[in-house]
Amino acid sequence: MAWGRSDPFERVRRLGGRCIIAAEGSSGRPLLAEARRFAIAELLRGAGAVSVTEVESRFGVSPMTARRDLMALEKQGVARRTHGGAVLPSMSAKEDSFAKRVNLAADAKGRLADFAVAMVEAEETIVLDSSSTAYFLAQRIVDAGLAVTIITNSLPIMDLIAGVESPPIHLVAVGGTLRRLTGSFVGPYAVDTIRGHFADRMFMSVKGLTPGGVMTDADELEAELKRTMIAQSQETVLLVDGSKLSVRGQNAIAHVRELTTVLTEGLAGPELEALRATGVTVTSIDAETPVGS
């Protein structure tokens, strides 16, 4: 790609180019600010999104410095800050209602749920996010009659469990501000509720997954709550089908390296290899047989 005068990355390249050469040759030394921001801009251009946590871990800086770097890149037109990170300035993904999402890629979500339910053990405490994929998993848990505790901010999942006569499931409903579009509760109260619990396992999905492995969501409050759920869970499992690679949300959640496992359906070989290169454990259900089938 040619870098024209109108390209906002060109300024960062000019500012950081001479510094990054010196910094790369100094083993163990932190990058100078301009060079570090140049490197962050290159990372953002390749992945489409970057989280504050990823900037911290990659460059060995504090959260405050990471946010300051992203703020500087935003002023230069290279990035658009979001809650928890930054995305490319032009990046945007329209958010669909739960009623619409639950019918999209339903077969793939059902297959992911079939595999995921086999990972659940009796008496576990499970966190389910407000994704439609997690709703499919909740259906499988109910059908299997598993005696577990489910913590969720999803109103459809709450309704599903509440509608079952004498279910063995103990439900912890996460309240807060209701997002009618998605049927989910978010906000400070929801975050505080999640922080008040620990879970054996979390199952989640996302709006989109960047090539660099950054999970994204269309809403900043949903992204914040998912990050909190990840932090409170001993094991975290991302359920992702091939459609998640073609869209990106505006808000960075976290990098997949922060998860335990990624369960995939419909991803091509190069996509799987790129995901595995991040270091996270990846299981493709396309090559597997569900337990009990």
Side-chain angles (χ1 to χ4, degrees):
M1 174 180 175
W3 294 91
R5 291 180 180 273
S6 62
D7 196 318
F9 283 92
E10 183 182 13
R11 182 184 176 192
V12 181
R13 180 179 290 276
R14 292 199 306 270
L15 287 172
R18 65 179 183 276
C19 298
I20 200 167
I21 293 173
E24 286 178 345
S26 306
S27 178
R29 284 184 172 182
L31 292 176
L32 297 178
E34 290 91 348
R36 186 177 61 248
R37 290 165 188 171
F38 166 76
I40 295 170
E42 290 289 279
L43 179 65
L44 181 61
R45 186 174 71 89
V50 65
S51 66
V52 170
T53 302
E54 184 173 14
V55 174
E56 291 176 53
S57 62
R58 276 180 177 262
F59 302 101
V61 297
S62 67
M64 182 178 295
T65 298
R67 292 189 180 93
R68 189 181 298 121
D69 286 344
L70 296 179
M71 184 184 301
L73 291 176
E74 183 177 49
K75 289 180 179 178
Q76 295 167 13
V78 172
R80 181 166 59 79
R81 285 191 301 155
T82 65
H83 192 87
V87 297
L88 290 175
S90 61
M91 185 176 296
S92 178
K94 183 179 76 70
E95 188 171 23
D96 295 319
S97 67
F98 177 84
K100 183 174 182 180
R101 285 187 291 120
V102 79
N103 292 314
L104 294 175
D107 290 342
K109 293 172 183 177
R111 287 191 292 271
L112 285 167
D114 288 336
F115 275 81
V117 72
M119 302 172 69
V120 179
E121 298 180 7
E123 307 304 325
E124 282 190 335
T125 297
I126 305 297
V127 171
L128 298 179
D129 72 353
S130 59
S131 65
S132 56
T133 308
Y135 179 79
F136 277 81
L137 176 55
Q139 289 180 319
R140 301 301 191 274
I141 292 173
V142 168
D143 292 342
L146 290 172
V148 296
T149 296
I150 290 181
I151 303 172
T152 186
N153 69 315
S154 167
L155 184 57
I157 293 178
M158 296 176 195
D159 287 340
L160 172 68
I161 296 172
V164 178
E165 186 175 351
S166 301
I169 300 169
H170 176 59
L171 174 65
V172 177
V174 177
T177 301
L178 175 63
R179 300 187 67 231
R180 294 185 181 276
L181 179 68
T182 57
S184 59
F185 292 96
V186 296
Y189 185 80
V191 170
D192 286 345
T193 302
I194 292 297
R195 284 177 178 160
H197 296 81
F198 290 103
D200 297 295
R201 213 180 304 271
M202 175 198 178
F203 293 93
M204 64 179 290
S205 191
V206 292
K207 175 66 177 179
L209 185 64
T210 73
V214 177
M215 300 176 289
T216 64
D217 197 278
D219 181 77
E220 66 180 44
L221 295 180
E222 294 277 10
E224 179 186 21
L225 191 60
K226 288 175 192 280
R227 280 194 297 274
T228 308
M229 289 174 167
I230 292 170
Q232 297 300 110
S233 303
Q234 183 175 356
E235 294 187 13
T236 49
V237 183
L238 174 67
L239 309 177
V240 60
D241 61 77
S243 68
K244 304 298 183 182
L245 302 185
S246 60
V247 295
R248 295 172 189 165
Q250 299 179 46
N251 302 278
I253 301 168
H255 196 279
V256 292
R257 284 193 300 266
E258 298 183 37
L259 307 181
T260 308
T261 305
V262 179
L263 202 59
T264 73
E265 197 277 346
L267 270 65
E271 297 167 338
L272 286 172
E273 290 308 310
L275 200 53
R276 290 188 174 114
T278 65
V280 69
T281 299
V282 179
T283 299
S284 171
I285 71 171
D286 302 287
E288 304 287 343
T289 303
V291 175
S293 65

